[in-house]
Amino acid sequence: MGELDRLSDLIGRIYDAGTDSDAWRPVLTDICRWTGGEVAQILVLEATAAAPFFNVAVGYDAAAHARYLRDYALEDPRLPAWRRLPPTVQLCHEVVDPGWLDRQDFGAFLDENGCRWTMATIDPAFDGVAGTSVRRPRRAGPFTPEEAQRFDLLVPHIRRALAVAQRLDGLAGRARLAEDVLDRFDRAVVLLAANGRVVHVNAMADRLFESGRLQLRGNRLDSADPAEAAALRGLIAATLDPRPGGGAVKLLSGTAGAPLIAGGCRLPDRRPTAVAVPQAVAALFLSPIGASPDDLGQVLPGLFGLSRAEARLAVALHDGFSLSEIAGQLQLSRETLRSQLRAVFDKTGTRRQGTLIRLLTDLARESRLARPGV
C-alpha cells in the first residue's frame, strides 16, 4: 500500500472512530506509526472539571495517564504557548526551552514515561485543554518539521470526527432524557413512523403489550379483537393524515381488558431530535377509563392535556351552558373564559364551539361517559 493509500485509509478510520468510541485506540496507534511517535493522546478537559469530557491515549499505562491529568495537564508549560499559536501542529522544543524541562519534576515524569518530545495541536479558544498530541522518548530525538506536517494532514479530520462524536453523545443523552420523560407519563405513548410502524413505546405501553391488552404484529399496533383492530387502524390513519383536522378520539373496548381512550397527534416537523425517535412523525396516547367513568371531566385532562379549569369549561359547554352563564356560575370574567376556551381549542385541535361540543359528545357517547341529565 502506497503512502497516499495509507493516508486515505487512516483518514477513513478516523471518521469511523467518530461514530464508534472503541475505534479510537487502534486509530491512535496507527497515527503513531504514521507520524513516528510512540505515545498518542486526545484530551478534552475543561479548566474546572474534575474529569475529562473525552480522553483516549495509547502508549503508556493508565496510572501514568492519571498522574499527568492530576498533576500536570493544566500546568503543562507548553499549553499556554500552544494556545497563542495557530491551531496547527507545533513542536514542543520550539515553544518551550528543552533545558527548562530538565530542571523540573515534570521533565523527569516525561522521561520516565517515554513522552519527552511532543508535537501537538491545541484549540486556543477552549477554556482548559482540548488537543491531540503525539509523543516519543528522549532517545528518539525531537520530532522534525516533516513529521509535524504528516500529523497536520490528519488534524482537521480528527477535529471533525471529534465534533461528530460530541454531537452524537449529546443527542444520545437528550434521547435518553426524552425516553425517561415518556416513561414517566401516566398513559401509554406509542410513536409512529410515516408508514404507521411503531418506532418507540414508553413503559406504560409496554405494560399494555405484556398484559395482552394490545399487540404488536410486524411492528404495527394491533388487537386480538377485530372491531378494536379496525378502530386502531382508523385512528392511526387519521393521526398520520397531514391535513388540518386530522386525528380522532376512539374508545377501545376490546375483550382483552379494560376500555381505553385513544387519541393521537402529528409531531411538529421541526421538533428537536431528542423529543422523539428521529423517524417518528406521530404519537398515539392511550389511557384507561378513569375511576369515575360517569365524569367526562376526569378524561379530558389525560386525553388532551387540559388543565382542571379548561376541563371544567369544556364540560360546562358540553352540558349546554353559554359562556355568560358559566361566567356567572364561576364568578369569572368573560375574558378569562375566552382565554381558557382558546387553550381548549388549541389542545383539542378544534376551532369553534360547535366543533368542540361535537367532539365532546362523540367522546361521551363512545366511551359511555355521558353525564347524568344530558
Side-chain angles (χ1 to χ4, degrees), residues 266-319:
R266 287 188 63 86
L267 297 174
D269 290 339
R270 294 187 178 181
R271 66 193 184 281
T273 305
V275 167
V277 178
Q279 65 267 38
V281 301
L284 297 183
F285 305 93
L286 304 105
S287 303
I289 289 180
S292 301
D294 61 337
D295 190 354
L296 184 60
Q298 296 294 320
V299 174
L300 295 177
L303 189 58
F304 297 110
L306 300 188
S307 69
R308 291 180 62 184
E310 292 161 357
R312 181 177 58 189
L313 171 60
V315 170
L317 290 171
H318 172 258
D319 285 350

Side-chain angles (χ1 to χ4, degrees), residues 69-258:
L69 293 176
R70 184 185 68 245
D71 298 338
Y72 302 116
L74 294 179
E75 300 177 10
D76 189 332
R78 298 165 296 184
L79 298 181
W82 271 319
R83 286 196 187 94
R84 292 192 294 269
L85 294 169
T88 53
V89 173
Q90 307 292 332
L91 304 176
C92 69
H93 62 278
E94 294 182 353
V95 298
V96 173
D97 177 11
W100 184 90
L101 292 175
D102 289 335
R103 300 188 294 273
Q104 308 298 321
D105 175 62
F106 181 44
F109 167 82
L110 294 177
D111 282 341
E112 288 170 8
N113 293 282
C115 299
R116 174 55 181 265
W117 305 111
T118 303
M119 55 179 176
T121 173
I122 303 294
D123 181 354
F126 192 79
D127 184 18
V129 180
T132 305
S133 62
V134 176
R135 310 165 195 172
R136 65 189 181 196
R138 181 190 288 269
R139 58 177 165 72
F143 286 101
T144 66
E146 291 75 17
E147 288 168 327
Q149 186 176 29
R150 290 171 72 88
F151 189 21
D152 217 19
L153 291 173
L154 304 178
V155 166
H157 306 289
I158 294 172
R159 286 185 174 139
R160 293 187 193 111
L162 286 173
V164 170
Q166 188 170 13
R167 174 68 172 163
L168 290 176
D169 183 74
L171 290 176
R174 288 161 58 198
R176 287 191 296 270
L177 176 61
E179 290 180 5
D180 183 61
V181 169
L182 291 178
D183 283 342
R184 293 173 187 267
F185 277 26
D186 60 356
R187 66 202 60 127
V189 181
V190 179
L191 302 183
L192 302 173
N195 61 4
R197 291 184 179 275
V198 173
V199 294
H200 182 75
V201 298
N202 71 345
M204 182 72 78
D206 263 335
R207 289 196 284 273
L208 288 178
F209 296 132
E210 290 170 0
S211 70
R213 178 64 186 80
L214 293 176
Q215 299 176 357
L216 274 178
R217 293 180 180 173
N219 288 330
R220 294 183 184 275
L221 195 58
D222 203 351
S223 170
D225 184 287
E228 185 170 77
L232 273 173
R233 289 193 294 271
L235 173 63
I236 290 170
T239 302
L240 292 174
D241 189 340
R243 293 172 296 181
V249 178
K250 296 286 186 182
L251 173 67
L252 305 180
S253 53
T255 58

